[in-house]
Amino acid sequence: METSFGQYVISDDKQRIDVQIVIDFLATSYWASKRTPEKIRQSIENSLCYGVYDGEKMIGFARIITDGVTMYYLCDVFVLEAYRQQGISKELVRVITESSEFAGMTGMLGTKDAHGLYEQYGFERDQERFMRRTPRN
């Protein structure tokens, strides 16, 4: 899948992912700063991934974990700082949530500060129901 958005392209072609950009960004994130580069590489290999490109440069990313039938987990969503405030993250989330691939599935995600973005695409806060277990190492 590839779609244009202004001068940008959103693609699910994993071969285009600039893994080093993902590693560098996640190292500064609140949610993944403790992941090793090897774990990040493996997570990309084992997930569906979307990149946003300005020409050949990757400027945004999202990763989806799914069983392909009942649910998907949207994670590691980011747009590089120099490209923010242009609606790129909105378009990336729209493309994913409106994909026929995920139609009929329950979507989940975790966020500390972007609830408003995801609520625009049908996600609802559910603090009563979900639990998490963090890794021991």
Side-chain angles (χ1 to χ4, degrees):
M1 179 287 307
E2 191 168 291
T3 185
S4 295
F5 170 64
Q7 73 188 53
Y8 307 112
V9 171
I10 298 173
S11 173
D12 64 356
D13 180 355
K14 207 180 290 188
Q15 299 302 313
R16 291 187 72 179
I17 300 294
D18 187 328
V19 176
Q20 192 59 53
I21 287 176
V22 178
I23 289 169
D24 292 345
F25 185 90
L26 293 181
T28 67
S29 72
Y30 69 82
W31 68 88
S33 61
K34 294 184 174 153
R35 286 187 208 156
T36 65
E38 183 54 33
K39 281 189 176 187
I40 292 169
R41 282 185 195 90
Q42 289 175 342
S43 71
I44 291 169
E45 289 173 19
N46 293 318
S47 303
L48 301 174
C49 298
Y50 288 75
V52 183
Y53 303 91
D54 183 4
E56 294 302 311
K57 180 180 180 177
M58 192 178 88
I59 61 160
F61 178 78
R63 188 167 67 86
I64 294 94
I65 304 163
T66 183
D67 64 7
V69 180
T70 63
M71 63 91 52
Y72 67 91
Y73 184 79
L74 175 61
C75 56
D76 296 340
V77 179
F78 69 84
V79 172
L80 297 178
E81 192 168 344
Y83 290 88
R84 293 182 187 163
Q85 304 300 317
Q86 298 180 52
I88 297 168
S89 61
K90 288 180 181 181
E91 184 65 10
L92 178 58
V93 173
R94 186 195 69 74
V95 165
I96 292 167
T97 58
E98 292 182 4
S99 168
S100 61
E101 186 171 6
F102 304 115
M105 290 188 206
T106 299
M108 297 177 58
L109 62 84
T111 185
K112 186 166 85 173
D113 57 2
H115 298 88
L117 166 65
Y118 297 111
E119 287 170 342
Q120 294 175 53
Y121 301 96
F123 288 93
E124 300 171 350
R125 298 177 196 215
D126 189 347
Q127 299 169 351
E128 299 285 322
R129 209 170 139 198
F130 295 101
M131 300 175 71
R132 72 177 181 163
R133 180 180 182 271
T134 56
R136 299 198 192 282
N137 54 3

